Amino acid sequence: METPQDYRCFQAIPLSGSLGAEIIGVDLSGAIPQALAAEITAAFRQFHMLCFRDQTLDLDAYRRFALLFGPFSGNPIHLALPGYPEFVRVVKEPNQDGPTFGGNWHADLTWFEAPPKATMLYVEEAPRVGGDTMFANLHLAWERLTPTLQRMIDGLIGIHSGYGAYGTNAMLKSVKVVDEGWEISRTEVEHPLVPRHPETGRPFLFVNPNVIRIKGMTEAASRPLLDMLFHACTRMDTTCRLVWRSGSIAVWDNRCLLHHAIGDYPQYRRVMVRTTIAGDRLTVTTGAAHVQAA
Ligand code: SIN
């Protein structure tokens, strides 16, 4: 995390040593003054994931809050809520069979030319127990690689495609997939394996299950390296675990974090409203000074 700083509009309580903070003393249901918006933006940059508790948000208030982070990215895969094309409702019913939506380490829509900057979830109904979400910090994953390995992989390009991920999710009952979703998610897009964060310039290890191969290598030859890097991305000491309550809303940086929904609540209902914020094309050209010296 970046250097700690004090905030005047709220208290920020870190959720782990790696990322994440609970923000205390903010009501997001009304207009958000500029000073508060500026501090939320700064805390987002510092902690990468923010959670606000005990909020009562209708979709208009949710939309107002989301727009603090930028315009919506759109989501060509999932069926949106009527009248609110930016939002998707993810529902898991008690004893629903099949896998949990988002129940693996991943990042959202990284096969977009410009992957979403942020993902947000608002809890309409939390399970009585379980259903947490875990997050992993990809800056730390990069910084904990040895300099030799960093030199080997910095400059490589990952090929991202959503087909695998959405092929599975399309079979889930939790969220509806539009008919053309399968085809759309076949797109292949190139991103650096080690982009510089568009706002801070800090490098991060951009490896997730959407990376199907490394440019210039076959899938089979890429796989061992990608598996090893993915393992580095999901080390327990890069993570934080968020315990949801009804009325919690969280926003996280979808570029420098992975997330993982834990499906350990078979007997309970869980209802989340989800959206994503547009990001920038990822490059290696800013913040090169962050690369460790040889
Ligand atoms: C997701 O992958 O967006 C779902 C995360 C969750 O429901 O906890």
Side-chain angles (χ1 to χ4, degrees), residues 90 100-104 106 108 119 121 131-133 244 252 259-262 270 272 274:
V90 184
T100 301
F101 178 77
N104 63 329
H106 67 285
D108 294 327
T119 299
L121 281 178
D132 303 346
T133 303
W244 299 102
W252 65 89
H259 59 285
H260 186 323
I262 310 291
R270 183 179 188 264
M272 316 292 270
R274 184 173 180 280

Side-chain angles (χ1 to χ4, degrees), residues 1-7 12 14 42-43 45-48 200 202:
M1 280 186 280
E2 289 178 22
T3 323
Q5 69 186 76
D6 289 330
Y7 295 98
R45 201 164 289 169
Q46 180 183 358
F47 293 103
H48 315 301
T200 64
R202 191 176 168 195

Side-chain angles (χ1 to χ4, degrees), residues 47-289:
F47 293 103
H48 315 301
M49 186 275 280
L50 305 178
C51 178
F52 304 77
R53 302 291 189 187
D54 305 319
Q55 304 294 321
T56 308
L57 301 184
D58 60 21
L59 290 174
D60 293 314
Y62 191 170
R63 180 187 266 156
R64 209 166 34 238
F65 174 56
L67 287 170
L68 286 186
F69 296 88
F72 292 102
S73 69
N75 178 340
I77 301 295
H78 299 126
L79 201 61
L81 293 179
Y84 292 89
E86 313 87 1
F87 294 107
V88 169
R89 186 172 277 118
V90 184
V91 182
K92 186 143 190 237
E93 298 293 352
N95 303 314
Q96 181 177 302
D97 55 3
T100 301
F101 178 77
N104 63 329
W105 283 113
H106 67 285
D108 294 327
L109 304 170
T110 66
W111 41 274
F112 278 15
E113 290 285 341
K117 164 183 176 173
T119 299
M120 306 179 79
L121 281 178
Y122 174 62
V123 189
E124 288 187 342
E125 189 174 336
R128 271 185 54 200
V129 64
D132 303 346
T133 303
M134 291 194 66
F135 300 89
N137 183 335
L138 302 178
H139 290 304
L140 297 181
W142 166 251
E143 287 156 14
R144 289 171 182 173
L145 297 180
T146 61
T148 305
L149 188 50
Q150 287 184 332
R151 277 195 301 277
M152 278 171 60
I153 65 168
D154 196 11
L156 296 180
I157 300 290
I159 309 291
H160 292 237
S161 165
Y163 189 66
Y166 287 92
T168 306
N169 279 342
M171 291 183 284
L172 303 181
K173 297 178 182 151
S174 297
V175 64
K176 303 272 178 299
V177 174
V178 298
D179 287 344
E180 58 280 21
W182 291 71
E183 268 323 301
I184 295 168
S185 64
R186 274 183 193 276
T187 324
E188 291 192 0
V189 168
E190 297 183 5
H191 297 300
L193 220 54
V194 190
R196 274 46 176 178
H197 191 283
E199 283 121 44
T200 64
R202 191 176 168 195
F204 57 101
L205 185 53
F206 199 46
V207 174
N208 65 55
N210 294 335
V211 187
I212 54 172
R213 64 178 185 281
I214 291 168
K215 189 174 181 182
M217 294 170 70
T218 62
E219 287 193 20
S222 307
R223 187 48 41 211
L225 179 56
L226 289 174
D227 285 348
M228 188 263 284
L229 295 175
F230 185 61
H231 182 71
C233 290
T234 56
R235 279 172 44 158
M236 277 298 140
D237 59 0
T238 68
T239 66
C240 133
R241 183 168 181 137
L242 179 60
V243 181
W244 299 102
R245 299 198 299 258
S246 297
S248 300
I249 183 166
V251 52
W252 65 89
D253 193 317
N254 179 60
R255 299 149 311 178
C256 65
L257 300 186
L258 297 180
H259 59 285
H260 186 323
I262 310 291
D264 60 350
Y265 53 101
Q267 65 276 50
Y268 298 117
R269 192 166 193 259
R270 183 179 188 264
V271 183
M272 316 292 270
V273 180
R274 184 173 180 280
T275 194
T276 43
I277 304 296
D280 301 298
R281 195 98 179 71
L282 296 171
T283 70
V284 293
T285 53
T286 53

